[in-house]
Amino acid sequence: MKRWQLLFLLACPCAALAQSFSYPVPPDSIGDRQGRIAYMVSHFWNEQSIGDTANFQSPRLLLDYLYLLKQETTNLQSNSIKSFVSLAYKNEQTFGRILYWLDQILYDSSSPHYNEDIYLRLMTEVVTSDADSVMKLIPMERVKMMSKNQIGKPTNDFCYVDKEDNQHKLYDVDAPLLLLVFNNPDCSLCCHAEKAMIGNTLIQNLQKKGLLSVLAVAPDADFKEWKKHKYPSSWLTGIDKGGVIYRNRLYDIQRLPCIYLLDKDKQVLLKEADYGRLSVYLEEHYATFCR
């Protein structure tokens, strides 16, 4: 179903659309938007639809469901997530596919629908459910990794060395805001992101005001080759020569570049971002940072 069709169902009583999958239509008696959303979420799946393999050949239906779920209040979301997982894990034919699509939609940091909060709550519910232990293996690993460096909590500290081979710690960097950029000089996407950040006027202004520092760290690179790369002179740079970040899985680095934004106490404001998500976040919060 097209997104505008979902909105139409939310706004217009009696709006029914012929589909192979029967989308829930709120009754006329529910006139307010939140009430219609809650109705559609709670009636979106049933034993028949969630057990039909044809419904999960693509992520379309899950995307529609998640679109509605994200609009619920936190309390209603928790109940909806519990009901959804309880229904899903009982269907062996589709549960694996559902987990796969949820991983691709919500957990993959390159997904436009990336949402670690909802994904963590979904996977936590899977782990605590009566689902088959084999089906819990990946969710358990995901929950373990997502529990690190959560938004609003202190990030993991680590050591790095600069080009003079002097050792430093992340927590030694004193800055109101710290842009932590995991990168590799051999990575073309990293180089593109680097150029974009150099030209970003919001980043430039925050640096000029003394509100932002940038630390670029290579978690897995050859030291001699890394030293040859010319980073912006205003950036702090380092390399994890011992490979501790990857080996101890201190950060869930899915791909490079991987960008974190930290506050003065090294609490996470933004995580696992590419340049696009960083740019949007800065535009939304720039005025707050400058106060």
Side-chain angles (χ1 to χ4, degrees), residues 73-97:
T73 62
T74 302
N75 288 338
L76 286 177
Q77 276 183 354
S78 298
N79 293 332
S80 298
I81 286 171
K82 188 177 184 66
S83 298
F84 171 70
V85 172
S86 177
L87 196 61
Y89 82 78
K90 296 173 184 175
N91 292 273
E92 295 181 1
Q93 290 185 319
T94 57
F95 188 43
R97 199 64 180 170

Side-chain angles (χ1 to χ4, degrees), residues 225-236:
E225 291 300 315
W226 171 77
K227 286 182 68 175
K228 297 177 183 177
H229 184 71
K230 293 183 179 180
Y231 288 96
S233 59
S234 62
W235 289 19
L236 301 171

Side-chain angles (χ1 to χ4, degrees), residues 193-228:
E194 182 180 314
K195 291 178 181 177
M197 284 186 279
I198 293 171
N200 186 296
T201 55
L202 299 183
I203 292 177
Q204 291 175 1
N205 291 341
L206 288 171
Q207 286 182 298
K208 290 176 181 177
K209 294 174 183 290
L211 297 175
L212 175 73
S213 293
V214 181
L215 171 61
V217 175
D220 183 22
D222 178 78
F223 184 64
K224 291 182 179 179
E225 291 300 315
W226 171 77
K227 286 182 68 175
K228 297 177 183 177

Side-chain angles (χ1 to χ4, degrees), residues 202 206 211 281-291:
L202 299 183
L206 288 171
L211 297 175
Y281 186 89
L282 289 177
E283 288 177 4
E284 293 175 346
H285 296 84
Y286 179 76
T288 302
F289 293 152
C290 292
R291 288 175 186 169

